[in-house]
Amino acid sequence: MSLAQTAGHLLLILLLIEARKTPGNAHSLCLDLTVKSQSRPGQLWCQVQGSVDTKPFLWYDSASNKVKPLGFLGKEVNDTKAWTEISQTLVEAGRELRMVLPVIKLDKNEMKGPPTLQVKLCCQREAEQCSGASLHFSLDGQTALLLDTMSITWTVIDPGATGIKEEWENNQELAEYFRTISTGDCSYWLREFLKHWEKMQLPEPTEPLIMAPDISQSASIRLVSCIILLIITQLVLIASSS
């Protein structure tokens, strides 16, 4: 791995941390889609988990073709208009990704079979407006690309996966479809779900809020330690090869 790739990985890690942070009145909605390009009839080819402020509230899989509520928030909002809309969109988005996956040009030397595409669609709201939106692309569990859908800025992590970027740039209809979902629909759904979410925060004495900073701080410490170890490892490799 080159120094540039290492820097790219570290940049993505920091961006992912920022996307998941919800300080003050900021909140986030993320949809994690996993799509397989090939599957036998009746086999699972798409699954989605939705989270508000990193807490799962929704699950969809192509085998059952049903969107299921998770946790208290899921049960609270599963009869709302926003729930109906997000359910329909998830089915459509999964199909769009499955159709485009076979035509994406990838580095075949690194592929051990039909690829699995993971797309993390996230949006953030702060001060009653959309403050961020992004798409994170991974192939077979390996982070490949990051797209800021508000500024249309790409961060390439894996050069072998630039075919995804090329397809997004060439297929304007596909790009506009997911840009609209991430910057528009996602923000609207988040706003509607927050009306229920914020009401539910007070009557949950079993999860005291005072514990949240400690958990977050411990996770941050572990993450920083891993980053430092990664940097040291790369410096040693670079020094030994020079």
Side-chain angles (χ1 to χ4, degrees), residues 12-24:
L12 179 63
I13 290 172
L14 293 175
L15 288 170
L16 286 170
I17 294 172
E18 290 301 318
R20 296 175 71 88
K21 282 183 178 178
T22 55

Side-chain angles (χ1 to χ4, degrees), residues 29-33 48-52 57-60 66-69 73-74 77-94 121 123 177 181 185-193:
L29 168 60
C30 289
L31 302 172
D32 292 279
L33 299 95
V48 186
Q49 178 174 286
S51 304
V52 170
F57 77 101
L58 168 155
W59 174 263
Y60 165 79
K66 294 181 180 180
V67 180
K68 303 175 183 179
L73 178 61
V77 302
N78 70 340
D79 60 349
T80 63
K81 178 183 178 182
W83 178 272
T84 301
E85 292 179 359
I86 197 173
S87 299
Q88 295 172 345
T89 300
L90 290 180
V91 176
E92 295 171 357
L121 185 154
C123 65
Y177 174 73
I181 293 176
D185 298 334
C186 180
S187 181
Y188 162 72
W189 297 329
L190 178 56
R191 184 189 70 187
E192 294 303 301
F193 294 150

Side-chain angles (χ1 to χ4, degrees), residues 1-3 6 232-242:
M1 184 183 294
S2 66
L3 184 59
T6 301
I232 294 174
T233 302
Q234 292 303 315
L235 291 177
V236 172
L237 291 175
I238 292 171
S240 61
S241 61
S242 61

Side-chain angles (χ1 to χ4, degrees), residues 67-174:
V67 180
K68 303 175 183 179
L70 299 177
F72 294 110
L73 178 61
K75 295 176 182 178
E76 182 73 17
V77 302
N78 70 340
D79 60 349
T80 63
K81 178 183 178 182
W83 178 272
T84 301
E85 292 179 359
I86 197 173
S87 299
Q88 295 172 345
T89 300
L90 290 180
V91 176
E92 295 171 357
R95 290 172 181 168
E96 289 288 338
L97 292 173
R98 193 187 192 195
M99 290 176 62
V100 76
L101 186 53
V103 303
I104 294 176
K105 296 178 181 179
L106 302 171
D107 187 349
K108 300 300 182 181
N109 295 326
E110 299 183 4
M111 295 288 107
K112 297 181 180 180
T116 297
L117 176 65
Q118 294 92 23
V119 178
K120 188 181 192 68
L121 185 154
C122 290
C123 65
Q124 296 81 44
R125 282 186 64 84
E126 189 170 11
E128 297 301 320
Q129 63 182 356
C130 182
S131 58
S134 61
L135 292 171
H136 307 267
F137 299 89
S138 300
L139 285 168
D140 295 331
Q142 300 297 315
T143 302
L145 301 163
L146 167 66
L147 172 61
D148 183 325
T149 52
M150 295 190 73
S151 64
I152 314 300
T153 302
W154 289 89
T155 300
V156 178
I157 305 301
D158 180 6
T162 52
I164 298 176
K165 179 175 179 289
E166 293 173 1
E167 179 63 25
W168 235 253
E169 292 173 339
N170 295 332
N171 191 334
Q172 291 299 315
E173 184 176 351
L174 177 72

